[in-house]
Amino acid sequence: MMEKTVRRGTRTGFTTGACSAAAARAAVLGLVHGAVPEVVDCLLPNGDTVRFAVNDGRCDVSTPDATAPATAHAMVIKDAGDDPDCTDKAHLTADVRVLPGEAGVVRLCGGFGVGTVTMAGLGLEVGGPAINPVPRRNIEDNVRAAGAPLLAHAGLEVTISVPQGVEMARKTLNARLGILGGISILGTTGIVKPYSTSAYRASVVQGVQVAATLGHGVVVLTTGGRTEQFAMKERAALPPACFVQMGDFLRYALDEAVAQGLTEVVIGGMVGKLTKIAQGETITHANRAEVDTELLAQLAAGIGAPPEVCAEIAAAETARFAAERMQALGLATAFHEALAQAVVRTLMAPDRYGGKFRLQVLVCDFDGQKMAEADSTLFPPT
């Protein structure tokens, strides 16, 4: 009798943003059709359409003699797959109400359990809900697609809430980042890959091994989908199999690159992860180490930033704050170049990977636009 083999640790899940968008779409469909559906097909940011189960659906009318519902409620339970995520099983809830006389308006609000932004440096409006830009667009896209008949003559207000959000937020770094009162609504693709599992580490190693078989002698390591798209544009001559989304597992990827005899490694990233690499972290998960904002302040000082700005950067909690302050001063390019060079110095130190391969570091901003690069052959470590 053959034993049944179960492959564990690789099941993908869905982000809080995707689940919020699905709940919002279901609630809007309730307003359009008079009843919230039990399942909803939701468009994800990556272009896929996924079916979600809908819970607690209901519609309400504003007055006893009204002919159409004025508000609707729907909830989607998050399934994080095999990623050990503290928001797994969160109840992403959408309450939608009609805004008479505001044709075409879609207003997004944060309800109970969604954090409020209280500090700069997150790319979000201070005082607003901690709903990141990609989920915001994805929620609105789904609302507009489902609510077109209503939006022709009215607006829609969408409030996202998470009943367990306050408790879940205690297991995150949100409070340290100035996000208070709940969790963040996140996700750039809508899909959660098990970045934090041994299975994902193994897939990173396997990806480097595959890249080594292609004969180009190079692997391009990125921290996620957005940085991979950026890196693919920069190194367009390379086949897709040369690109590996390493997630937080730089050390495993670099060690395998050495083991496979690759002669060139390219790292594509944004300011947050690259700062952690520059400070010597090769496992860059948010729970493993904090961003060294003192390092960023030193880099800012080195390119001529005023002392008071450097002090603000050192006291901040995020790398993004530093990038935004440098942008405001017209020093963004120089700052990102200094950061890229710091990554090269750290990784190519003799006690790390010096002499084992050529290293190129590519830096993009939060929109995937190139900011800087550094190369170990042009900028030898000191």
Side-chain angles (χ1 to χ4, degrees):
M1 179 178 174
M2 294 181 62
E3 291 188 9
K4 186 177 181 181
T5 300
V6 179
R7 190 179 183 190
R8 299 182 183 278
T10 59
R11 189 171 62 88
T12 57
F14 300 100
T15 62
T16 50
C19 296
S20 298
R25 185 167 188 141
V28 171
L29 288 172
L31 293 177
V32 172
H33 300 295
V36 175
E38 295 184 355
V39 295
V40 64
D41 292 326
C42 179
L43 177 68
L44 301 188
N46 68 359
D48 291 345
T49 298
V50 174
R51 179 160 291 184
F52 291 83
V54 179
N55 302 270
D56 200 24
R58 62 178 182 269
C59 298
D60 297 296
V61 295
S62 56
T63 61
D65 58 346
T67 58
T71 64
H73 174 95
M75 182 267 287
V76 169
I77 300 175
K78 177 181 174 179
D79 179 359
D82 287 325
D83 191 59
D85 187 333
C86 70
T87 62
D88 187 34
K89 302 301 184 288
H91 291 190
L92 280 305
T93 305
D95 288 280
V96 182
R97 70 183 182 98
V98 176
L99 302 174
E102 297 188 43
V105 171
V106 174
R107 185 180 303 153
L108 183 59
C109 306
F112 180 85
V114 172
T116 298
V117 178
T118 66
M119 291 168 51
L122 296 170
L124 297 171
E125 181 183 356
V126 173
I131 304 176
N132 275 20
V134 172
R136 282 174 183 266
R137 290 194 295 271
N138 187 227
I139 293 168
E140 181 171 344
D141 287 345
N142 278 278
V143 167
R144 290 192 179 280
L150 291 174
L151 290 168
H153 58 81
L156 294 171
E157 181 184 80
V158 181
T159 300
I160 303 298
S161 58
V162 188
Q164 318 100 308
V166 174
E167 180 181 351
M168 287 177 168
R170 297 191 182 103
K171 301 175 183 177
T172 73
L173 295 176
N174 273 14
R176 189 179 302 151
L177 301 177
I179 299 173
L180 304 181
I183 64 171
S184 301
I185 305 301
L186 305 171
T188 56
T189 65
I191 300 292
V192 174
K193 292 184 178 180
Y195 284 98
S196 304
T197 67
S198 59
Y200 189 78
R201 294 200 302 268
S203 73
V204 170
V205 170
Q206 185 179 46
V208 177
Q209 292 170 347
V210 171
T213 69
L214 302 178
H216 295 270
V218 59
V219 64
V220 183
L221 305 173
T222 63
T223 54
R226 190 166 17 171
T227 51
E228 183 176 71
Q229 291 174 9
F230 155 67
M232 283 181 165
K233 292 178 183 176
E234 291 298 307
R235 300 298 295 263
L238 293 174
C242 282
F243 296 81
V244 177
Q245 289 189 34
M246 64 177 174
D248 296 307
F249 299 114
L250 176 65
R251 185 176 72 223
Y252 295 91
L254 293 182
D255 288 349
E256 190 61 28
V258 173
Q260 294 295 323
L262 289 168
T263 57
E264 182 182 4
V265 173
V266 180
I267 296 174
M270 293 182 282
V271 62
K273 295 292 188 186
L274 291 179
T275 300
K276 288 192 174 185
I277 296 171
Q279 69 197 48
E281 301 292 338
T282 52
I283 303 294
T284 58
H285 193 278
N287 294 331
R288 291 289 294 262
E290 297 179 20
V291 169
D292 184 356
T293 51
E294 288 281 357
L295 170 62
L296 295 175
Q298 292 170 13
L299 296 178
I303 61 170
E308 61 272 18
V309 173
C310 297
E312 290 177 6
I313 292 172
E317 295 286 350
T318 68
R320 185 166 187 156
F321 178 84
E324 290 177 349
R325 294 296 284 122
M326 294 297 96
Q327 179 73 38
L329 291 173
L331 296 173
T333 298
F335 174 74
H336 286 92
E337 286 177 350
L339 176 59
Q341 292 165 2
V343 171
V344 170
R345 281 196 299 269
T346 296
L347 290 180
M348 302 309 285
D351 60 343
R352 289 179 178 260
Y353 297 96
K356 295 181 179 178
F357 48 73
R358 171 188 174 185
L359 175 65
Q360 183 183 40
V361 177
L362 302 174
V363 190
C364 67
D365 64 14
F366 299 101
D367 294 319
Q369 300 301 308
K370 184 176 182 179
M371 296 300 298
E373 67 177 80
D375 193 300
S376 61
T377 61
L378 300 176
F379 182 78
T382 56

